[in-house]
Each structure stands twice: as C-alpha cells, then as structure tokens.
Amino acid sequence: MSRVTPAGRPVAFGGRPVTAAPRGPSRLSEPNKEESVVSRPSVIIVGSGVGGLALAGMLTRQGCEVVVLERSAERRDGLAITIWPNALRAIRRSGGEEMYEAVLKVCEPIHSARMISQSRGPLAAIDLGFLTRRYGVTGQGVTRAELLDTLIALAGAPVRFGAEVSRVSPDGTVVLTDGETLRADVVVGADGVGSTVRRSLLRPGQDDRRENPLESWQGVVDRGGIWTSEGADFHFGPLGTCGIMPLTDDRVYWFVDGSIRTPPTGEGWPDVVRALVAATPAEQLFPGQAWDRRPVRRWGRGRVTLLGDAAHPILPTIGQGACMALEDAGVLAARIAQDPDPVCALRRYEDDRYPRVLGHFKKARGMLRMRALPGAVRDRMLAALPDRTITRMYTESTVPLPEFS
Ligand SMILES: Cc1cc2nc3c(=O)[nH]c(=O)nc-3n(C[C@H](O)[C@H](O)[C@H](O)COP(=O)(O)OP(=O)(O)OC[C@H]3O[C@@H](n4cnc5c(N)ncnc54)[C@H](O)[C@@H]3O)c2cc1C
C-alpha cells in the first residue's frame, strides 16, 4: 500500500502514493512490476456524494490510499432517497458488515407500496416482504444528510471540503481551481450530473447534452398524525406523481416530479399530500431538477473513470440513481481488488457496468412514459394488471447483481 505524504516527499509502499505533483510538466514513474502484484493503487475520488464516499470506504477497507476532493465547503444537504436491496447488497459485499450495518441504522424499512389514482382510488397494493425473504433486506428510506454523515465516518480517508477540481488528465493528474496539482494511480470522477471530470475526458464534438429535465419538489416533515402508512404511497396527481416514504424518528419524505413548478398544494392533489406539504417547514422544502443521458459503452480513459451520475444519470422515476452509484462503487472496488493492473481494472469495471446501467436508464424512461399517459388510460391499465405483475414492474430494478446476491 502507499501513503499520502507531504508535497515533494512521496513515500511509496507499492502503489503510487497520492502526491502533490510539481507544477509544470513532469513524467510519471514506471510502475514497479514486483511491487504492483501485491500493492493497492492510490486513488483520488472527485466528489463526496453517496457514490464517491461509499467507494472511499470500500477501497480503504482493502488497503488503498484514498483522498476525496469535494468542492462544497461542507457536507452537502439534500433531502432524502430510497435505497434498495441491489445497493445494500453491494455495500455489504464490498464494504463489509460494518458499513452495511451502519447504513441500515439510519434507514427506515419500507414493507409495502400502494399506487393511488386521482379519481379511482387504490390501483395496486405491493407487498415487499419477499425482498426481505430473498435478500435479507427490503427498500429503505433515508435522509441524504444522515447517509452522507455515516459514509464520511466510514470513509477511512480524508475528505477535503472546499477542494474544487478544474480538470483531470488520463495519466492520473488532477488540477484544482486554486492551481494545486495531485496525482494518483487511479482517479474516479464521482462528481455528479454536470461532471467536470467527464468534461475533461470528452473528445472534441462528443455530445454533452442532458435530456428530459424533470421538475421536482421534495420535503421532509414529521408525520404529525397526517400520514400513518408503514409503506410507501404513490399518488398520480394532475401534473406529476407524488411519492411518500417513511423515515426514521417518525418523519416522512415526500417528493413530486413531473412538470410541476410550484409545490403540490393545489386542486387535484389528495388531502394527505396537501396536508404534508402544508406542514413542511420552509427550510425542509426543496425545488429541484433531474436529467438523464443515454449511457455510453466507454466512459473512462487511462487512469481515469467515472461513477454514478457523472457516468450515467438516470431519471428518479425508479428511485435508482444513488443505488446505481452504490452498485458502481461495489463493482469498481471489486475489480480494483481483483486486478493488479489498475488501468485494466477500470476498463473491466466499465465493461461490466454498461449493460446494467443501460437497462436501468431504459426502465426509468419507461416509467416516465407510463406516468405521463393520460390519467384515465394509465389508471385503467394499472387497475387491469394483477398485483403480482405490478410488483414485478416495481421491484425488477432492485434485484441485486448476481455477484452481490
Ligand atoms: C428528486 C430526486 C429524487 C431522487 N430519488 C432517488 C431515490 O429515491 N433513490 C435513488 O437511488 N436515487 C434517487 N435520486 C438520484 C440520486 O439523487 C442521484 O443519482 C445520486 O445522488 C447520485 O450520486 P453521485 O454520488 O453520483 O453524485 P452526487 O450526489 O451528485 O454527488 C456529486 C458530488 O460531487 C461534488 N462535485 C461536483 N463537481 C465537483 C468538482 N468539480 N470538484 C469537486 N467536487 C465536485 C458535488 O458537490 C457533490 O457533492 C433522486 C434524484 C432526484 C433529483
């Protein structure tokens, strides 16, 4: 393994240490073949979102030297998400029991889900008990703040807040906006949907469009007797879909996405949604936007790869963006552990992830199309389907990868 050392005095025990590189052009040293068999690469992770932090914890547990660079001055907030057995199994296999248990501690299990139409009432009741029977865990509601705090505590690596990356090179060089330059064996861009790392790797003319902007509103609020369900509810409303999820400490997370520019308080939304929105404190009410981009087969170059939204943003319609980032982290950590050549490990990771993320991208778009059907058509269709078919549609994206199941 290797350690972080003061600038100019790198001390390597195998892999290349994360070093402050001299200003101006310099040559990378040839890897020492004898050492590289037993060594673990040094890794710079750009971005301290769910994906970057989980990867840090997984890599430090296998002996890698890791630094996380985060442009925000402090841990970012955000509201809440749901995470599913596919992500939790990836955490358990690549991050170990300690990481898995710590994450579950801040989560609230979701045992069932209902779909409710504007006019026809309940359309489907989904029993999620089979997830626990099959994978040992069901879907979970969690606030981003609590999840990120847990992952920071387990990262085993410095998280440098206020460190904004301006560009990276395929040789493993990372330049910060203040001019500081760092180097490592591997650089992972986990810097979200507008990824600077991805932009650094784009060849001239390569497409950088984001598509399908979905407006969203989210809130976290105490149940306060307004919503008593133990599961998740989905209400199909006039301009979008409202999901309501349980959180720990008797709190509730609600979100609405669609073409919705104001919080869902108006005509057409059910009383429970309007009451939750009205009870949400202003500082817990967030507007947002989501995009997707069709994944490409090869998203890294040389010593650099991408992870999570930086590589393959998907729509939140199947609640799987962060889960995909966590799965990416699990697979990337496994490939780095398996392959003594870090560059080969990165390409194997990209090859292995491409079909999976393409499948989820398509499912998320399919769900958007279903939600956007005229209300009467959508309701008739869902009401006609047996619950077991809707259960399969709702949970197929949550099935763990064979290597983690
Ligand atoms: C309304 C909504 C609901 C959602 N619900 C769910 C859900 O229920 N389940 C689910 O799995 N997913 C959900 N998602 C998707 C999920 O939020 C994202 O897929 C996930 O956060 C991506 O994680 P990430 O680690 O890849 O990136 P991010 O969480 O975006 O983190 C990127 C980090 O990189 C930092 N950064 C950016 N640029 C730089 C730079 N140049 N230098 C240094 N740092 C930088 C950023 O500050 C940030 O901290 C939802 C999304 C939306 C919009």
Side-chain angles (χ1 to χ4, degrees):
M1 66 180 264
S2 51
R3 347 185 266 253
V4 178
T5 61
R9 290 198 302 115
V11 181
F13 296 91
R16 213 160 39 133
V18 178
T19 57
R23 304 276 161 104
S26 67
R27 282 175 58 81
L28 290 172
S29 56
E30 282 297 311
N32 175 331
K33 287 216 174 85
E34 211 175 76
E35 285 174 341
S36 67
V37 176
V38 293
S39 71
R40 291 279 176 257
S42 55
V43 182
I44 295 173
I45 298 172
V46 184
S48 71
V50 173
L53 289 172
L55 179 68
M58 292 170 183
L59 290 177
T60 54
R61 272 164 185 71
Q62 60 192 45
C64 294
E65 183 206 9
V66 176
V67 171
V68 182
L69 304 175
E70 168 57 51
R71 74 173 167 198
S72 304
E74 53 192 30
R75 194 261 291 133
R76 291 174 75 224
D77 241 338
L79 283 173
I81 51 172
T82 50
I83 48 176
W84 294 92
N86 58 321
L88 289 157
R89 296 295 302 210
I91 291 176
R92 189 175 202 173
R93 289 298 287 273
S94 287
E97 286 302 315
E98 184 199 13
M99 192 184 272
Y100 177 69
E101 293 298 336
V103 167
L104 281 185
K105 227 181 213 162
V106 290
C107 288
E108 183 70 15
I110 303 169
H111 295 295
S112 59
R114 295 184 298 186
M115 292 185 182
I116 303 157
S117 98
Q118 209 177 323
S119 51
R120 299 171 68 126
L123 292 171
I126 301 169
D127 181 357
L128 297 172
F130 79 97
L131 292 177
T132 309
R133 290 192 293 280
R134 229 174 261 170
Y135 310 116
V137 70
T138 181
Q140 311 282 326
V142 59
T143 66
R144 275 182 207 264
E146 282 158 280
L147 181 58
L148 292 179
D149 282 344
T150 302
L151 293 174
I152 288 171
L154 292 166
V159 181
R160 286 183 50 188
F161 290 100
E164 179 168 5
V165 169
S166 65
R167 64 174 192 280
V168 306
S169 307
D171 67 3
T173 308
V174 173
V175 182
L176 277 64
T177 47
D178 65 3
E180 187 185 353
T181 303
L182 299 169
R183 268 200 201 136
D185 294 317
V186 166
V187 176
V188 181
D191 51 342
V193 69
S195 173
T196 300
V197 177
R198 178 173 184 275
R199 224 172 311 120
S200 302
L201 299 180
L202 287 180
R203 297 175 202 277
Q206 237 179 320
D207 190 5
D208 196 26
R209 262 179 315 177
R210 296 181 242 165
E211 295 172 28
N212 278 317
L214 261 191
E215 308 290 334
S216 71
W217 283 89
Q218 305 169 68
V220 168
V221 60
D222 289 336
R223 276 179 188 263
I226 301 171
W227 187 68
T228 49
S229 171
E230 295 298 315
D233 282 347
F234 293 89
H235 293 271
F236 297 115
L239 294 168
T241 306
C242 177
I244 308 174
M245 317 281 165
L247 292 172
T248 54
D249 298 329
D250 240 8
R251 292 168 301 168
V252 174
Y253 162 58
W254 62 262
F255 68 85
V256 180
D257 55 37
S259 355
I260 177 151
R261 289 179 194 265
T262 52
T265 48
E267 195 80 5
W269 290 104
D271 289 346
V272 63
V273 171
R274 298 199 320 197
L276 285 174
V277 177
T280 304
E283 71 281 3
Q284 291 291 319
L285 183 68
F286 279 81
Q289 272 196 320
W291 296 269
D292 71 359
R293 189 192 305 110
R294 178 171 278 274
V296 292
R297 195 172 279 280
R298 178 68 69 227
W299 58 64
R301 265 206 283 159
R303 294 178 180 276
V304 184
T305 193
L306 304 174
L307 170 153
D309 277 9
H312 46 68
I314 66 172
L315 294 173
T317 48
I318 56 170
Q320 277 285 323
C323 293
M324 287 294 99
L326 289 164
E327 266 191 8
D328 282 352
V331 173
L332 180 52
R335 298 300 169 269
I336 287 174
Q338 289 154 358
D339 201 323
D341 179 340
V343 176
C344 290
L346 301 191
R347 299 300 86 81
R348 280 187 58 210
Y349 150 75
E350 290 158 9
D351 287 343
D352 292 347
R353 290 303 288 153
Y354 173 71
R356 175 75 162 177
V357 298
L358 181 64
H360 277 60
F361 163 84
K362 288 181 179 168
K363 285 185 187 112
R365 281 201 173 178
M367 188 63 83
L368 180 68
R369 280 194 297 277
M370 189 275 278
R371 285 188 186 179
L373 287 171
V377 177
R378 182 194 55 221
D379 293 355
R380 252 200 325 274
M381 187 189 89
L382 287 174
L385 291 173
D387 277 352
R388 67 170 187 286
T389 306
I390 296 181
T391 303
R392 203 175 51 241
M393 278 164 51
Y394 183 71
T395 56
E396 62 179 351
S397 57
T398 73
V399 173
L401 288 170
E403 73 177 278
F404 297 140
S405 59

